[in-house]
Amino acid sequence: MSISIDQVACTGCGRCGEICPGSLIRADREGKAEIGQPADCWSCTACLKECPAGAIALYLPPVLGGSGTRLQVKQEGSLLHWRFTRPDGTLKTITVDRQSANRY
Amino acid sequence: MKSITLSADILIIGGGAAGCYAALSAARHRVGRVVLVEKAHIERSGCLAAGVNALNAYIGRGHTPEDYVEYARKDAEGLIRPDLVLSMARRLNEVVGNLEKLGLTILKDSEGHYAERGWRNIKINGENLKPLLAAAVRAEPAVTVLNHVNVVSYLSDGERVAGAVGFGVREPIQYVLKAPAVICATGGAAGIYRPNNPGSARQAMWYCPFNSGSGYAQGIRAGAEMTTLEMRFVALRCKDTIAPTGTLAQGAGARQVNRLGEIYEERYGFTTSGRIYGVRQEELAGRGPSRLRAENLSPGQIEDLYKAYLNMAPTQTLSWVEQGEDISSLSVEIEGTEPYIIGGHTAGGYWVDTRRETTLRGLFAAGDVAGGCPQKYVSGAMAEAEIALEAALDGAELRPELDSPEPARCLAEAEKFLGRPAALFTTGELAEALQKTMDEQAGGRGAGYSYQEAGLNQAEARLDELEDLSLGLAAANMPELMKIQELRDRLTVARSLVAHLKARRETRWPGFGLHLDYPRKEDTWLRYVNSRLKEGRVEIIFRDMVRGDKYEHQY
């Protein structure tokens, strides 16, 4: 499974590469983040949460039925705003409060 | 290559749930110098990377640690170490209290008690459990965290351990880490068997794919005794995304049904192994696939489930969102994963005494790498870390330094891999060959989790070949060197695992593995299959059941 990194939005801060549990993200020649082996990604979303520029999105690969929706996350205090961008451009947002426990 | 030597009072290998908790326990015990070494970065490394949304090991109101032992015993068809499960269970609630103090959100009822999901399970928001632990570790001045260092071997004389050797994952640096007490908390092993999905989704797996079994491998190579590796773990998961099913089943009341809509759980029993076995048997009987079906859900409940999955397995929510919105029921196809070796769920790992000391003196094990204590999950791994830490401190001042040839040997080996301009095979190709061999000949998913002696013998021969071939690999840089070391660790674990599968001539946990030559459970096999590497061969040791609450090694 994997992530896509928006090379325009990426500021090259290197935080995603620092915390990736698989050490999969490195800097490319221009100092921007790139994932060396996308197939090695576990889809844990650690990099999405760490990225201050919101440049990283998670997607489902076609082999798992993915149809192109991108998932991004923005942190605001204890809130995590998860944003789904569908291929037709429509959006869905789900906000999770870290101070609110799972009901199930 | 540059070399750095560090000395500490306690060396902790692996900065996941158990390792971080061991470091915090060390700080509480006022240990002067603690080194915590982690191959990624403790902020999000290990099993907790994406988060968890329940703590599955907890003693609920009206229950006792002894109840937990009985539950674990039943689930493992009798094959547990009661001393280990009991000592772990006694500390569970204190661990949970400590996690709440660190800032973990735990659901409470109207009277302020933890809201229980069954008597062993509490609901949390554990999306940030790992960052909370990491922040607490970083705040301890006595703890030095070495991120991005991959440990490859112990400083050992075959009888005891007094440190470890590692390499930078990014920088060409060798680390020689010396300590009179070492806690191994590296986690279990994924990537030994061919995963459910190929190619671009190959790491869509239940267990952390970066856990390569290095702690087992280093123990095996140093001559430590291992136990019950043949009790592999197969997880029941949502098809494709390999996301958890417990939230749907226990949380939303979803039932496990076959193609005909029949609820069939009773037929196979409610043990962890039984649930997996049921899915497989229904499929063989032509009644597959199985699904988890939750009906009459309100939009609010659906939203809550979406959130629960975002907190631990975001791909599942992504998949639901992609499938469409107007739903009042969720029906998810379920399947078993490829097998893993993981002492936190099943019982494979280091053979330890009640204090969690391995058969190598000065080396302690906690979490998924420690055997004999299934059903420990996250909170139990932490309880074990604290037990191991207390034992590690006991008498540490009496253990002198060891003069080990390992740093020089490891360096020479690493430089061979790094110095080779190219090789015919890549590390990825050999990893694929390992997974194919294990899948087909050692009871992988492709073989319906079944195996027989002739196939295991073929697997043994092929693993020996792959080990020889791995010596000829080339690494262009330090990340590639780590990949070679991980592959070699997996090969070492696989070889011991195959010997264990051969040695247990019965089928005790049919959901986790079926021995076709010996398809039944036999009372005579209610004993431990242990092993030790001796002169390059895996030697099997049978041990009688441990009874009571204490076990000591006989040196």
Side-chain angles (χ1 to χ4, degrees):
Chain A
M1 292 197 275
S2 206
I3 52 162
S4 68
I5 303 172
D6 180 341
Q7 296 290 316
V8 178
C10 173
T11 62
C13 73
R15 279 160 70 172
C16 54
E18 189 72 13
I19 56 94
C20 170
S23 301
L24 303 175
I25 306 172
R26 59 190 184 208
D28 69 8
R29 284 192 191 144
E30 286 155 36
K32 306 270 179 136
E34 87 178 347
I35 177 157
Q37 292 281 343
D40 283 347
C41 171
W42 191 27
S43 301
C44 73
T45 65
C47 55
L48 274 70
K49 294 165 189 167
E50 195 70 18
C51 178
I56 310 180
L58 178 77
Y59 63 89
L60 266 185
V63 72
L64 298 188
S67 50
T69 300
R70 289 159 190 266
L71 174 60
Q72 286 161 290
V73 63
K74 199 172 137 195
Q75 300 194 50
E76 185 194 346
S78 70
L79 302 180
L80 288 176
H81 304 292
W82 296 88
R83 195 179 65 184
F84 301 80
T85 309
R86 298 189 189 85
D88 63 5
T90 57
L91 300 176
K92 176 182 174 71
T93 302
I94 300 177
T95 295
V96 182
D97 187 347
R98 279 171 169 159
Q99 286 169 0
S100 149
N102 162 45
R103 314 290 305 176
Y104 295 104
Chain B
M1 193 180 305
K2 203 166 111 182
S3 181
I4 293 176
T5 299
L6 283 175
S7 291
D9 299 313
I10 296 273
L11 170 64
I12 300 164
I13 306 172
C20 283
Y21 202 83
L24 294 176
S25 297
R28 265 201 302 276
H29 282 81
R30 304 188 183 285
V31 178
R33 292 171 307 164
V34 183
V35 168
L36 174 63
V37 54
E38 159 62 45
K39 78 173 171 181
H41 188 291
I42 62 165
E43 181 71 12
R44 286 273 181 187
S45 59
C47 302
L48 298 179
V52 283
N53 72 6
L55 291 176
N56 292 323
Y58 179 78
I59 310 297
R61 272 170 291 161
H63 286 270
T64 64
E66 285 76 9
D67 294 341
Y68 202 90
V69 176
E70 285 321 303
Y71 151 68
R73 195 196 303 276
K74 199 171 162 208
D75 203 73
E77 301 291 346
L79 217 101
I80 60 162
R81 280 272 305 277
D83 59 318
L84 299 177
V85 180
L86 183 65
S87 57
M88 178 267 294
R90 281 179 174 151
R91 294 188 188 225
L92 287 173
N93 292 16
E94 194 192 321
V95 166
V96 171
N98 284 338
L99 293 179
E100 192 175 17
K101 279 181 215 150
L102 290 181
L104 180 69
T105 301
I106 305 180
L107 189 67
K108 291 186 175 157
D109 61 21
S110 54
E111 291 167 20
H113 298 293
Y114 295 148
E116 294 171 13
R117 187 173 94 176
W119 67 269
R120 307 177 302 269
N121 196 307
I122 55 174
K123 302 171 191 181
I124 63 172
N125 184 330
E127 182 280 320
N128 63 340
L129 177 50
K130 193 68 206 301
L132 288 172
L133 276 171
V137 169
R138 278 195 293 266
E140 293 295 347
V143 182
T144 302
V145 178
L146 294 178
N147 287 314
H148 303 121
V149 175
N150 184 37
V151 167
V152 299
S153 187
Y154 293 129
L155 302 178
S156 172
D157 61 2
E159 288 184 4
R160 63 186 192 93
V161 167
V165 187
F167 290 93
V169 173
R170 303 161 147 195
E171 308 297 327
I173 301 172
Q174 183 185 35
Y175 291 83
V176 179
L177 309 169
K178 297 180 176 181
V182 178
I183 296 176
C184 177
T186 53
I192 289 186
Y193 284 89
R194 185 186 274 163
N196 289 36
N197 293 290
S200 58
R202 66 187 185 216
Q203 304 269 59
M205 56 176 70
W206 168 76
Y207 196 47
C208 175
F210 314 117
N211 286 12
S212 54
S214 62
Y216 300 135
Q218 285 142 34
I220 290 167
R221 289 196 286 260
E225 191 170 324
M226 294 286 150
T227 189
T228 325
L229 299 177
E230 74 280 8
M231 188 185 184
R232 310 169 306 171
F233 182 66
V234 174
L236 184 63
R237 303 298 270 189
C238 301
K239 187 175 179 293
D240 293 344
T241 56
I242 318 294
T245 51
T247 298
L248 275 171
Q250 287 138 273
R255 304 301 299 266
Q256 195 168 323
V257 298
N258 63 18
R259 179 170 61 82
L260 308 173
E262 298 166 334
I263 297 171
Y264 62 79
E265 294 145 317
E266 303 80 20
R267 277 181 220 156
Y268 307 98
F270 290 91
T271 62
T272 313
S273 161
R275 287 181 180 279
I276 298 284
Y277 187 60
V279 170
R280 176 83 190 139
Q281 290 306 102
E282 288 298 302
E283 209 172 281
L284 289 175
R287 296 190 293 266
S290 291
R291 309 184 79 88
L292 272 177
R293 200 176 58 196
E295 285 169 329
N296 303 320
L297 298 169
S298 69
Q301 283 176 305
I302 296 269
E303 186 86 357
D304 281 344
L305 275 171
Y306 280 13
K307 289 182 184 178
Y309 276 91
L310 284 171
N311 284 338
M312 59 175 176
T315 47
Q316 185 60 43
T317 309
L318 179 53
S319 177
W320 278 327
V321 168
E322 288 212 315
Q323 284 167 34
E325 301 272 319
D326 296 324
I327 40 176
S328 62
S329 64
L330 288 174
S331 176
V332 179
E333 195 173 326
I334 51 176
E335 62 184 8
T337 62
E338 78 276 23
Y340 310 97
I341 307 300
I342 163 178
H345 284 243
T346 47
Y350 278 96
W351 180 248
V352 292
D353 66 11
T354 309
R355 305 151 62 246
R356 270 62 175 182
E357 188 164 23
T358 70
T359 55
L360 299 173
R361 270 174 277 192
L363 177 67
F364 302 79
D368 285 342
V369 84
C373 184
Q375 315 289 349
K376 68 184 96 158
Y377 304 104
V378 176
S379 41
M382 294 176 179
E384 226 172 25
E386 192 172 44
I387 297 168
L389 183 273
E390 287 169 10
L393 292 178
D394 188 21
E397 66 284 357
L398 303 174
R399 304 186 200 111
E401 269 197 27
L402 256 178
D403 199 22
S404 166
E406 276 304 276
R409 195 196 62 77
C410 293
L411 183 62
E413 189 181 271
E415 284 180 337
K416 251 187 218 167
F417 291 129
L418 289 163
R420 217 167 264 140
L424 179 61
F425 297 133
T426 65
T427 309
E429 284 171 337
L430 293 191
E432 208 181 341
L434 160 69
Q435 291 183 347
K436 179 183 164 76
T437 297
M438 295 302 287
D439 183 63
E440 294 175 356
Q441 261 125 26
R445 200 172 162 270
Y449 308 115
S450 66
Y451 49 88
Q452 26 82 24
E453 202 161 307
L456 293 172
N457 287 334
Q458 285 176 347
E460 257 176 356
R462 182 60 177 152
L463 290 173
D464 284 345
E465 274 175 15
L466 291 174
E467 197 152 349
D468 287 345
L469 290 171
S470 74
L471 285 169
L473 288 169
N477 49 38
M478 296 308 279
E480 287 187 21
L481 177 65
M482 177 177 76
K483 290 278 172 208
I484 294 177
Q485 286 154 342
E486 288 177 337
L487 168 70
R488 289 180 52 75
D489 287 343
R490 288 186 169 109
L491 285 166
T492 299
V493 176
R495 221 153 62 108
S496 288
L497 166 59
V498 169
H500 276 249
L501 289 171
K502 261 169 76 174
R504 180 171 289 284
R505 296 183 162 182
E506 65 155 356
T507 294
R508 182 156 294 263
W509 313 281
F512 300 154
L514 281 158
H515 198 319
L516 295 178
D517 300 325
Y518 307 97
R520 274 177 293 280
K521 184 171 91 169
E522 309 283 351
D523 288 346
T524 50
W525 281 98
L526 193 57
R527 53 182 166 152
Y528 308 103
V529 172
N530 288 6
S531 68
R532 199 168 48 156
L533 194 67
K534 211 172 172 187
E535 286 154 16
R537 307 302 317 167
V538 182
E539 180 189 83
I540 295 292
I541 304 160
F542 295 110
R543 289 197 184 273
D544 291 335
M545 294 302 292
V546 169
R547 301 185 196 284
D549 60 2
K550 201 166 178 195
Y551 174 81
E552 289 177 3
H553 294 309
Q554 307 293 320
Y555 290 106

